Amino acid sequence: MAKRRITQDTFDAVVRENIEEFDMDDGEALREAIEQFESQGVDLSNIVKAVPKASSEETTDEQTHKVLQALESLRGELGSSPASLGEGLKLFTEQCSLGFAQRYLAAQKDAYPTILSCCQRAGVNKEALSAALAAMSMLTDGQPDLLDAEGRGFLIGTLRAHLEDPDLTCQAVRAVRHGCLKHEQNRQDLVKAGALALLTGAVACHALRPDVVKEACATLRVMTFDDDVRVPFGHAHEHAKMIVLEHNGLKIIIDAAKAHPGNLSVLSELCATLSRLAVRNEFCQDIVDLGGLKFMMTLLADSLDCQDLVKQVLSALRAIAGNDDVKDAIVSAGGTELIVMAINRHMGNAQVCEQGCAALCVLALRKPNNCKVIMESGGAMTALQAMKAHQAEVSVQKQSCMLLRNLVARTRDFSQPILDMGAEALIGQALATHRDCGDVARAALRDLGCQVELRELWTGKKGSLTH
């Protein structure tokens, strides 16, 4: 059931009433208002939880929030020279950075047209343009609907005009990313306008700048998302293919990785981006041929203690292992042992366990020899330990069940050793706890040779018999 929402004016009126009618101090009035609305089931995520104050520059007694004061001050400077916009833009950006509620309130008061006007007015003044792009990026964070055709055109034009400037490129790319996250139409329109060439060009042009590489790769990755619930079918797959086939994306990203051997945050982002681009069999092989697998194996071996990086490398290995030849290459390179080590090292992290078990699951699929290596490396026991450690995490349970099934699907000799490890009870528990585990858990039990109850439910409709 959707929670109720209120306007900022309604919330502020109650705070003001608490102060004026009930003689509360500011802090008490604010706490009382928050408790009152939350007890009524009101969602306050879009509300600035602060007491409005009068600006020192105001000559009236009007009180408002600091983000709106910054916005009003900025509007007053629009007629002045571009150089004078910088400080006002930085103040506005600082207020918006405090949280989504501040950004939402600013947007409700028509901040976007003002910021876009500042962007356009900045012209060739680098300091003003940088500040304006930062303000646009911050304002659209979580509010991609704000970005309109004029704004998209401005961002593409800025990237074209300033692609050789790493600082301006980084700011513009970040604004593009915020405008595309959870917004399919913005993605498609920007791609049609040439965004992919500009993003891959930014990585190639500034390969030695970690901030640009990281931001541009993150934005390329967002272009492959299918995260807009308003759109039934997006262009995620098409965009991934375009990045690889039309813009040489795999080579550019892998070359960038080689330029930052010690920067774990950049390497993590690059691995995450590669995993989104491995959408075709030949792309997976291309990643190996370009040195991507060697780079990932070295990275995993050298950075086993870095949890976030390990998760992204495992995700990338899982993605490229969709190619059967790459499966064998990963196993031959010692990938199985490293994956098992990574899961055991970070057993307390559900995401690492999920990605690790998923990677092993793909390596085992249709590959009896790989299953033997996984068993000898302790992969089955590790998967069962992950099931024990994360009994409430359905994703871990599902991936572990699928791995266990793949291990015995073509090698029945592994069934009894896996059962001796306690697999039946753990799979049964997953089956009882998580409805989404039903099919994979029953399939794992069946292939392990266990008794499985396939209950048939009749819903009264033709063809509606389900297990």
Side-chain angles (χ1 to χ4, degrees):
M1 182 178 174
K3 283 190 171 185
R4 295 168 51 207
R5 285 183 178 254
I6 58 170
T7 66
Q8 185 71 49
D9 288 343
T10 299
F11 182 83
D12 292 344
V14 170
V15 173
R16 205 158 41 241
E17 181 183 37
N18 287 342
I19 294 172
E20 296 172 358
E21 300 295 328
F22 301 103
D23 202 26
M24 296 182 185
D25 61 35
D26 288 1
E28 186 182 7
L30 191 60
R31 287 192 299 272
E32 178 64 27
I34 293 171
E35 291 173 6
Q36 176 185 336
F37 285 116
E38 287 182 341
S39 69
Q40 297 170 7
V42 175
D43 180 3
L44 297 179
S45 61
N46 63 324
I47 297 298
V48 177
K49 301 173 187 69
V51 179
K53 297 290 184 182
S55 169
S56 59
E57 298 175 1
E58 291 177 333
T59 57
T60 68
D61 292 328
E62 182 184 357
Q63 296 179 327
T64 187
H65 292 281
K66 289 182 178 180
V67 67
L68 298 184
Q69 293 174 15
L71 177 61
E72 207 53 45
S73 175
L74 193 56
R75 284 177 176 145
E77 296 171 357
L78 270 176
S80 54
S81 67
S84 64
L85 294 174
E87 287 305 314
L89 284 164
K90 289 176 183 177
L91 178 59
F92 175 78
T93 303
E94 181 183 323
Q95 287 299 314
C96 284
S97 71
L98 296 177
F100 176 75
Q102 280 79 1
R103 298 193 291 276
Y104 180 81
L105 177 59
Q108 292 298 301
K109 301 299 182 181
D110 296 323
Y112 176 78
T114 301
I115 298 304
L116 182 57
S117 294
C118 290
C119 289
Q120 294 164 334
R121 185 159 180 73
V124 295
N125 186 299
K126 179 178 176 178
E127 184 178 352
L129 182 56
S130 178
L133 287 168
M136 176 178 277
S137 171
M138 186 59 68
L139 181 62
T140 54
D141 186 7
Q143 303 185 105
D145 286 341
L146 294 176
L147 189 65
D148 59 8
E150 193 175 1
R152 291 191 296 268
F154 173 79
L155 291 176
I156 291 294
T158 299
L159 283 170
R160 285 202 177 107
H162 301 282
L163 193 60
E164 294 186 0
D165 187 312
D167 297 320
L168 290 177
T169 294
C170 198
Q171 294 283 13
V173 167
R174 186 177 296 116
V176 169
R177 177 165 62 86
H178 288 167
C180 289
L181 197 59
K182 297 186 178 180
H183 202 295
E184 180 64 20
Q185 194 58 55
N186 280 345
R187 278 195 288 261
Q188 292 185 23
D189 289 342
L190 284 163
V191 167
K192 288 176 185 175
L196 298 184
L198 292 166
L199 292 170
T200 51
V203 178
C205 184
H206 303 291
L208 298 179
R209 280 288 298 258
D211 53 342
V212 178
V213 171
K214 186 175 179 180
E215 195 62 61
C217 284
T219 307
L220 283 169
R221 186 159 53 91
V222 168
M223 293 300 185
T224 70
F225 283 4
D226 188 13
D227 58 357
D228 190 339
V229 296
R230 302 166 295 187
V231 180
F233 302 105
H235 288 186
H237 190 80
E238 289 80 357
H239 291 169
K241 289 194 297 182
M242 289 172 68
I243 292 167
V244 176
L245 296 175
E246 298 177 21
H247 305 290
N248 203 20
L250 295 179
K251 185 178 188 307
I252 287 172
I253 291 170
I254 291 171
D255 285 348
K258 294 173 183 176
H260 299 277
N263 193 320
L264 300 187
S265 65
V266 171
L267 294 171
S268 179
E269 188 57 59
L270 294 173
C271 285
T273 306
L274 284 175
S275 70
R276 297 294 305 184
L277 299 180
V279 296
R280 287 171 59 167
N281 206 48
E282 60 267 33
F283 295 173
C284 299
Q285 187 62 54
D286 288 343
I287 290 173
V288 176
D289 295 343
L290 289 166
L293 176 58
K294 181 180 179 182
F295 136 69
M296 283 187 255
M297 289 291 94
T298 302
L299 189 56
L300 188 57
D302 293 345
S303 309
L304 268 178
D305 290 329
C306 183
Q307 187 171 278
D308 290 337
L309 179 60
V310 165
K311 179 183 69 175
Q312 298 300 349
V313 175
L314 293 176
S315 176
L317 291 173
R318 172 190 182 181
I320 65 173
N323 178 307
D324 281 355
D325 292 334
V326 175
K327 286 180 176 63
D328 295 338
I330 292 172
V331 172
S332 298
T336 303
E337 294 83 356
L338 282 172
I339 293 169
V340 172
M341 287 173 62
I343 300 172
N344 285 323
R345 185 73 58 92
H346 302 285
M347 186 61 74
N349 184 278
Q351 291 179 319
V352 170
C353 290
E354 176 195 353
Q355 294 300 331
C357 289
L360 292 174
C361 176
V362 179
L363 292 177
L365 184 63
R366 301 186 301 272
K367 291 287 185 177
N369 290 336
N370 292 354
C371 292
K372 183 174 182 292
V373 176
I374 292 171
M375 289 294 294
E376 291 173 350
S377 302
M381 177 60 78
T382 297
L384 292 169
Q385 289 173 339
M387 292 182 77
K388 286 181 186 176
H390 302 286
Q391 295 180 18
E393 298 291 337
V394 63
S395 57
V396 175
Q397 301 297 315
K398 286 178 71 174
Q399 294 299 336
S400 298
C401 285
M402 288 192 287
L403 168 59
L404 296 173
R405 183 195 179 191
N406 285 354
L407 288 173
V408 300
R410 300 192 182 200
T411 315
R412 297 294 181 183
D413 291 346
F414 294 149
S415 296
Q416 194 56 51
I418 290 175
L419 288 172
D420 291 343
M421 297 174 193
E424 184 174 7
L426 285 167
I427 297 171
Q429 186 174 352
L431 180 61
T433 306
H434 302 288
R435 187 172 182 178
D436 287 348
C437 275
D439 291 341
V440 295
R442 289 190 184 94
L445 289 171
R446 180 196 64 213
D447 287 358
L448 282 164
C450 302
Q451 182 88 19
V452 185
E453 181 184 356
L454 296 175
R455 292 178 298 171
E456 294 183 337
L457 303 176
W458 175 251
T459 65
K461 296 180 181 179
K462 184 178 179 181
S464 62
L465 200 61
T466 60
H467 296 292

